[in-house]
Amino acid sequence: MIPITVVDVAAAEQLVVQVLRSGAIAQGPMVKRFEDAFAGVAGVPHAVAVNNGTTALVASLQVLDLAPGDEVVTSPFTFVATLNAILEAGATARFADIGEDDFNLDPDAVAAAITPRTKVLMPVHLYGQMADMGRLGSLAAEHGLAVVEDSAQAVGATFEGRPSGSFGLGCFSLYATKNITTAEGGVITTSDDAVADRLRVLRNQGMRARYQYEVAGHNYRMTDVHAAIGIPQLEQLVTITEARQRNAEALNKGLADITGLRTPKTLPGRTHVWHQYTVLVTDDAPVTRDELAAKLTEKGIGNGTYYPKTVFDYDCYRDNPKVIASDVPVAERVARQALSLPVHPKLTDADLDEIVGAVREVLGA
C-alpha cells in the first residue's frame, strides 16, 4: 500500500533522548529553541508554542477579547477545529464561499458576508496554499477586522513573498500528519509584542511568574519532548517542502488532460507547500469521487477525502444559534468532488508512476 502520508521523526531521536535524560520534560529551553526557529520561518518576532493547533486558534481568539454576538467570518470547507475554536472562544461563526482554484475563501464572498457584528476574518490556508491575503487583508483593514490565519496546513507557504502567519495572528498545527510535526502541538505567530506577552501568560494558567496570576488562564503549554521532535524537521523544512513540490509537479504532469479530473494549481504570487495534493473528480468523470477512492484503495493507493461535507453540515451544528449557515455552492460541490492523493516526501519515482497509472486506469485514460 502506498500510504496517503508517512510520519518520519527519526532525526529527532538524539534531541528527545537529551530531554528525557535531563529529567526536565515540561515546557523549558527546548520549547524556546523551537519557538525561535519557528518565528524565523514565519518571518515574525514571536512564536508562541501551545499544545495543539486547535488551542492555537482558541487562544488567538481569546486574546482579541470578543464579546457575545461578535462574528468571525471563515471558510465552510475546512477541518472542524476551525469552527470548534470559534465556538469555544464564545464567538459566532459566519461563512463565506470558497474559490475552486485554491479551495480558499473567495474575497468577493467574504465582502458580502461581513456584517456590523463582524470582528475577525479567519482565512484557512487549505492544503498548503495561502488564501488571497492581498484582497482579504484589504477587506480586514477597510472594516477594522482582526485577522487570524488558520495556517494549520501551510507552514512555509507564502503570498507575494510573505510567509503564512505573518498577516495577523498565525495559527499552526503540528499534528502527526502535518508537514512539520511534534506529534501533537501548535504555534501562534505574531508581530505584536503585547499580544505575544498575553498569549504566553494565557497558556500558563494566567501566571506571569509562579503564583502571580494576571488573568484566568489555561494550560496550553507544549512540552520539551514535543519541541525536540519538531526542531530537526524545522531545520529540514526547505528540503521537505521541495520534495513535496517535486512530487506534486510529477502528479500534475502525469494526470494532465484526463476527462473528469481536475488537477490542483499554484496560483500566481503564491508558493504551495502541498500538505495535500487534492484533485476534483468532476461530474463528467466515468466514476464518482467515492468510486475512484474505493478502486484506488483496492489497487493499493492510499487516498483521503478532506472534507466530505461543509463544516456546518452536521446535526451537532444545525440548531446552534452561533453557527450561521449560508449558501456556499462552490464549497458544497468541492466537498462532493475532492480527493487527496499521496504527495509526501517518502514517495519514490516508482510510487508516483504507480499512482498515476492507477488513476488513469480507473478513469479510462
Side-chain angles (χ1 to χ4, degrees), residues 27-28 30-36 38-39 46-53 55-56 59 170 172 174 182 184-189 196 199-200 202-204 219-224 226-227:
Q27 180 177 296
M30 205 65 75
V31 169
K32 177 63 165 59
R33 178 175 165 184
F34 180 81
E35 289 175 330
D36 290 345
F38 205 100
H46 304 286
V48 181
V50 292
N51 53 1
N52 58 64
T55 294
F172 296 83
L174 304 170
T182 58
E184 285 279 9
V187 179
I188 307 164
T189 55
L199 286 167
R200 293 187 177 107
L202 181 68
R203 75 173 171 185
N204 191 35
N219 179 0
Y220 289 161
R221 297 184 299 267
M222 176 185 282
T223 71
D224 266 18
H226 288 90

Side-chain angles (χ1 to χ4, degrees), residues 26 201 204-214 221:
V201 171
N204 191 35
Q205 297 290 13
M207 293 188 292
R208 182 169 299 283
R210 191 166 180 81
Y211 303 131
Q212 179 186 335
Y213 302 105
E214 296 190 358
R221 297 184 299 267

Side-chain angles (χ1 to χ4, degrees), residues 118-353:
T118 305
K119 295 296 186 293
V120 180
L121 175 57
M122 185 183 283
V124 180
H125 304 320
L126 202 67
Y127 300 146
Q129 181 167 213
M130 292 180 65
D132 185 347
M133 294 309 298
R135 295 178 64 194
L136 293 176
S138 295
L139 279 171
E142 178 185 348
H143 293 277
L145 309 179
V147 174
V148 176
E149 299 173 66
D150 186 337
S151 299
Q153 301 181 7
V155 59
T158 63
F159 178 87
E160 296 183 350
R162 286 183 59 179
S164 63
S166 68
F167 288 81
L169 281 164
C171 300
F172 296 83
S173 170
L174 304 170
Y175 181 65
T177 59
K178 295 299 191 290
N179 293 24
I180 297 295
T181 180
T182 58
E184 285 279 9
V187 179
I188 307 164
T189 55
T190 179
S191 296
D192 190 312
D193 296 347
V195 168
D197 181 69
R198 290 188 65 192
L199 286 167
R200 293 187 177 107
V201 171
L202 181 68
R203 75 173 171 185
N204 191 35
Q205 297 290 13
M207 293 188 292
R208 182 169 299 283
R210 191 166 180 81
Y211 303 131
Q212 179 186 335
Y213 302 105
E214 296 190 358
V215 297
H218 307 271
N219 179 0
Y220 289 161
R221 297 184 299 267
M222 176 185 282
T223 71
D224 266 18
V225 176
H226 288 90
I229 294 172
I231 288 169
Q233 294 169 71
L234 273 181
E235 294 170 348
Q236 294 298 314
L237 178 59
V238 172
T239 300
I240 292 169
T241 301
E242 288 177 347
R244 288 178 174 272
Q245 290 170 337
R246 285 194 300 272
N247 292 343
E249 183 178 359
L251 290 171
N252 270 345
K253 182 178 180 180
L255 298 174
D257 303 321
I258 298 177
T259 299
L261 192 76
R262 182 169 177 178
T263 55
K265 61 182 69 174
T266 301
L267 298 189
R270 310 185 205 186
T271 60
H272 203 315
V273 298
W274 300 103
H275 172 61
Q276 299 290 353
Y277 177 90
T278 303
V279 299
L280 295 181
V281 184
T282 59
D283 293 341
D284 54 342
V287 296
T288 67
R289 183 270 311 278
D290 292 343
E291 289 170 339
L292 174 59
K295 290 181 181 297
L296 289 178
T297 300
E298 289 175 4
K299 293 177 177 294
I301 307 299
N303 58 86
T305 299
Y306 312 108
Y307 301 94
K309 296 182 179 182
T310 53
V311 72
F312 52 75
D313 189 18
Y314 294 89
D315 289 344
C316 57
Y317 300 117
R318 294 190 204 284
D319 298 323
N320 191 323
K322 292 185 177 181
V323 179
I324 303 176
S326 54
D327 185 24
V328 287
V330 177
E332 290 172 351
R333 182 173 70 255
V334 168
R336 292 193 306 269
Q337 297 178 344
L339 184 68
S340 295
L341 304 174
V343 74
H344 57 80
K346 294 298 181 179
L347 293 172
T348 65
D349 289 344
D351 290 334
L352 292 165
D353 289 343

